[in-house]
Amino acid sequence: MKIHPLRIGRTKVPFGQFYGGLQGFSLGEFAADKDHFIWVPIHAYLIEHPTAGPVLVDTGISPDQAAHVDYYRGSIMEHVMDVDEYDLPSGQTMPEQLARLGYRPQDIRAVIVTHFHEDHIGALNLFGHAPVYLGAAEYAARDAKVLGLIPLAYPPSVAAVTDWRPIEFSGAAIGGFTGSADLFGDGSVLALPTPGHSPGSTSVLVDHRLLLTGDAMYTIHHLAVDQVRAFQPGEQARYVDSIRRIQWLRREFPELVILTAHDHTEYGARLIAGLAGGELSDADLAWGKSYERATFDELANLNPARLPRFVPAADGGPVGHAA
């Protein structure tokens, strides 16, 4: 079964959002800090399942979102999000990324949504014909307001969907997870509950060898949750618990490869490039495991030399990078 990463533009995020969870990064800084941004990629994934057909995990952003002004006009999102928060170059829209693999949006037979945040569901309206799977807790919270202001699911992004399939994790335990969901009945695509980043955040285990985490982990470095932690207002305990369960899964399946939606590290770039044909080569797998051994100990503690730090832009601008 092949898995194709789809690069759907990039998003500009505060460094503290990704890496400030243990350094006292606050909600006020999240709103006001305009001097420590980094660009990170946005990835969705296409699974070529032998019987369920082409299946998407997340959808990335849309051109309307990237234009920002009209899409969010009249909502709180117009004021919360920066005008240049999203960048979607030509060739990276969802239809264009599908076309390079020989598919059209109407060919997609199911969509799995890891969570409702805008950079994961912005192109969901292209797939109103397909069933959409998501954690039952995420579906139940679809009308909730984050911090009492920001909609968890922005209505224009989800309005086209008519066939919601809320996932109950009543299947077999695996790794640190007390339950799972076998989405297509053959054990090849398992949904796992990884709440914290959102109420019902879900990760997807494919063939017991690739774990697609959405934003349950931003990068591979976030596996070391006691040294590298994202900013999670109000949900930090569940976020930490979900990553600890992923650590147990990784111990049960030592060859497991973890792929996130926004991994801007060398690890993410190399393995995403290696999946261009739908499968990782033995050389890429060996490189990935070598990188992990140099980055973590056997308990997923991070090598201190690899702790992320913000590097300012050479021109003094607000967008630097993480090293």
Side-chain angles (χ1 to χ4, degrees):
M1 189 161 57
K2 292 187 175 182
I3 302 178
H4 301 275
L6 309 178
R7 174 65 181 266
I8 316 293
R10 61 180 184 167
T11 181
K12 188 187 72 174
V13 300
F15 178 84
Q17 176 187 337
F18 262 44
Y19 297 114
L22 289 170
Q23 285 73 47
F25 187 77
S26 68
L27 183 61
E29 287 175 296
F30 179 80
D33 184 358
K34 304 298 183 183
D35 298 318
H36 300 90
F37 285 116
I38 59 174
W39 282 110
V40 299
I42 299 172
H43 286 106
Y45 294 88
L46 177 77
I47 302 172
E48 293 186 310
H49 191 277
T51 57
V55 174
L56 277 179
V57 178
D58 289 337
T59 69
I61 59 175
S62 70
D64 288 342
Q65 283 175 290
H68 186 279
V69 176
D70 289 332
Y71 193 74
Y72 294 113
R73 190 183 302 279
S75 79
I76 187 66
M77 305 285 278
E78 180 181 1
H79 307 288
V80 170
M81 299 176 66
D82 290 341
V83 172
D84 61 346
E85 184 155 340
Y86 296 135
D87 177 42
L88 186 57
S90 175
Q92 293 186 10
T93 68
M94 175 58 78
E96 289 170 308
Q97 287 287 285
L98 290 175
R100 70 180 176 82
L101 299 171
Y103 295 107
R104 304 163 299 167
Q106 55 264 43
D107 296 325
I108 300 302
R109 292 174 59 187
V111 179
I112 305 168
V113 168
T114 62
H115 64 294
F116 269 140
H117 292 167
E118 277 291 276
D119 52 329
H120 293 257
I121 60 167
L124 189 58
N125 55 15
L126 295 173
F127 307 103
H129 62 280
V132 176
Y133 295 85
L134 77 169
E138 195 78 358
Y139 180 72
R142 64 194 181 281
D143 296 323
K145 296 290 181 67
V146 180
L147 303 175
L149 296 171
I150 306 167
L152 179 63
Y154 186 59
S157 298
V158 300
V161 179
T162 59
D163 188 0
W164 294 105
R165 305 281 179 95
I167 301 168
E168 300 287 353
F169 300 98
S170 55
I174 183 171
F177 296 93
T178 57
S180 63
D182 182 357
L183 295 186
F184 304 121
D186 61 359
S188 65
V189 180
L190 301 180
L192 302 174
T194 50
H197 182 75
S198 72
S201 175
T202 298
S203 294
V204 182
L205 179 63
V206 182
D207 281 342
H208 291 77
R209 60 188 179 88
L210 291 175
L211 182 68
L212 312 179
T213 67
D215 286 355
M217 289 170 47
Y218 279 141
T219 75
I220 189 63
H221 287 180
H222 287 81
L223 189 68
V225 71
D226 292 320
Q227 286 102 0
V228 176
R229 194 173 297 180
F231 168 63
Q232 298 290 338
E235 293 285 345
Q236 187 149 171
R238 299 177 77 199
Y239 161 81
V240 171
D241 179 71
S242 290
I243 294 181
R244 296 208 191 287
R245 294 174 190 272
I246 292 172
Q247 292 174 354
W248 275 100
L249 185 72
R250 181 171 170 265
R251 285 194 282 272
E252 184 169 329
F253 299 99
E255 299 306 307
L256 183 71
V257 172
I258 296 173
L259 295 172
T260 79
H262 305 298
D263 197 336
H264 59 87
T265 69
E266 179 188 11
Y267 176 93
R270 169 72 182 259
L271 295 187
I272 288 292
L275 270 174
E279 298 175 300
L280 286 172
S281 68
D282 290 342
D284 285 324
L285 287 169
W287 180 90
K289 291 304 165 183
S290 176
Y291 183 98
E292 290 181 25
R293 287 191 297 272
T295 304
F296 309 103
D297 67 14
E298 63 276 8
L299 296 178
N301 295 307
L302 188 70
N303 179 343
R306 298 203 170 188
L307 282 168
R309 59 187 176 86
F310 179 75
V311 179
D315 62 2
V319 183
H321 69 276

